[in-house]
Amino acid sequence: MYTPISFALLTLSLFSQSVTSQTNEFTELRLMHRVVHPDLPVTPWAELGTVSIPSFKSISPIGSHASLSLAESLRDDLAEFAEAVNPNMQGAMYHVAIELPELEGSVSSIKACLLPSSTSANIVIHFSATGEPFAIDYSVSPVPQDGICSATSAGSYPAHNASVVLKSPRMAPLPELRIPPPLTPEGEPVAPVPEKSFVQKYWIYMVVVLGALLISGPAEDSPSGDGKGGK
């Protein structure tokens, strides 16, 4: 039978272990993708892969890297995308989203024609102040400077093992508050006291020096000759 103190220590130990395991535990976030064209039926969402999300406290505002595990059905899904929407079609778009109750609110889209000639992809996931993912940015490279897709690109979608960066919100700098100026009883600003001139500051010293010079008087002249009288 546990004494009250032993029971309290056991409860505290179990609670600490639970908090530590939750802090160090990685969670998984599923990413979805699809291709769309305004003149064709909407392609259903398919799984792109899962991202391992560490503790929110370890995510830096400037970005923390995470790993992406691609879905096993990715290549088959990309082949179906190419059959449904050719990436070279004008207006075709490629969507990547976070799997949330409202997928449409966290979608990143690029021109589908940029994918066939790309060699790498980058994903940035943004988190709210409470640690919830709410936005995603997806991009590929290289991309032409003018943004115009190549007309001779292949009509397929490549499977990129994208690099993933997680970002937490930045704290805005605190405003610098100024002290309000003093007011008179009538509510008007108190006029600043004008700065004194050099004479106003040091006139007393000038008077003392001048008085000392007047009191000392002019210097006495020494008597002429050698002091011997002549006959």
Side-chain angles (χ1 to χ4, degrees):
M1 179 178 182
Y2 291 108
T3 62
I5 296 179
S6 300
F7 179 76
L9 293 175
L10 178 61
T11 303
L12 180 61
S13 176
L14 293 175
F15 177 76
S16 301
Q17 293 177 4
S18 175
V19 172
T20 303
S21 63
Q22 291 178 5
T23 303
N24 298 330
E25 183 181 1
F26 282 72
T27 58
E28 290 187 346
L29 185 67
R30 285 215 311 169
L31 302 182
M32 314 297 288
H33 66 153
R34 69 178 181 183
V35 289
V36 296
H37 191 277
D39 299 331
L40 297 175
V42 177
T43 306
W45 289 101
E47 182 180 355
L48 172 62
T50 56
V51 179
S52 297
I53 306 297
S55 170
F56 177 66
K57 294 181 180 180
S58 66
I59 299 176
S60 171
I62 61 175
S64 299
H65 291 279
S67 60
L68 171 66
S69 298
L70 298 177
E72 295 181 357
S73 60
L74 177 60
R75 296 187 182 279
D76 294 336
D77 295 334
L78 293 175
E80 293 182 5
F81 289 170
E83 292 181 2
V85 179
N86 189 305
N88 296 319
M89 294 180 62
Q90 184 70 22
M93 302 296 292
Y94 177 71
H95 290 177
V96 177
I98 303 172
E99 187 185 38
L100 295 175
E102 297 180 358
L103 263 178
E104 298 299 335
S106 58
V107 177
S108 178
S109 62
I110 63 172
K111 294 180 180 179
C113 58
L114 295 174
L115 285 168
S117 59
S118 63
T119 58
S120 63
N122 299 281
I123 298 174
V124 180
I125 301 175
H126 301 271
F127 290 79
S128 66
T130 58
E132 298 294 330
F134 71 92
I136 184 172
D137 296 327
Y138 182 86
S139 61
V140 294
S141 59
V143 174
Q145 294 183 355
D146 54 10
I148 300 176
C149 301
S150 174
T152 59
S153 62
S156 60
Y157 297 92
H160 292 314
N161 192 2
S163 61
V164 181
V165 174
L166 313 176
K167 288 188 176 183
S168 61
R170 291 177 177 267
M171 296 299 294
L174 297 177
E176 297 182 1
L177 302 180
R178 295 184 178 180
I179 301 176
L183 301 178
T184 63
E186 291 77 17
E188 298 179 356
V190 176
V193 179
E195 186 177 358
K196 295 181 179 180
S197 64
F198 179 82
V199 176
Q200 291 175 328
K201 290 181 179 179
Y202 303 106
W203 67 270
I204 186 64
Y205 303 102
M206 299 170 65
V207 171
V208 172
V209 173
L210 182 61
L213 294 176
L214 293 176
I215 293 174
S216 64
E220 296 182 357
D221 297 334
S222 59
S224 61
D226 55 2
K228 296 181 182 181
K231 291 181 180 181

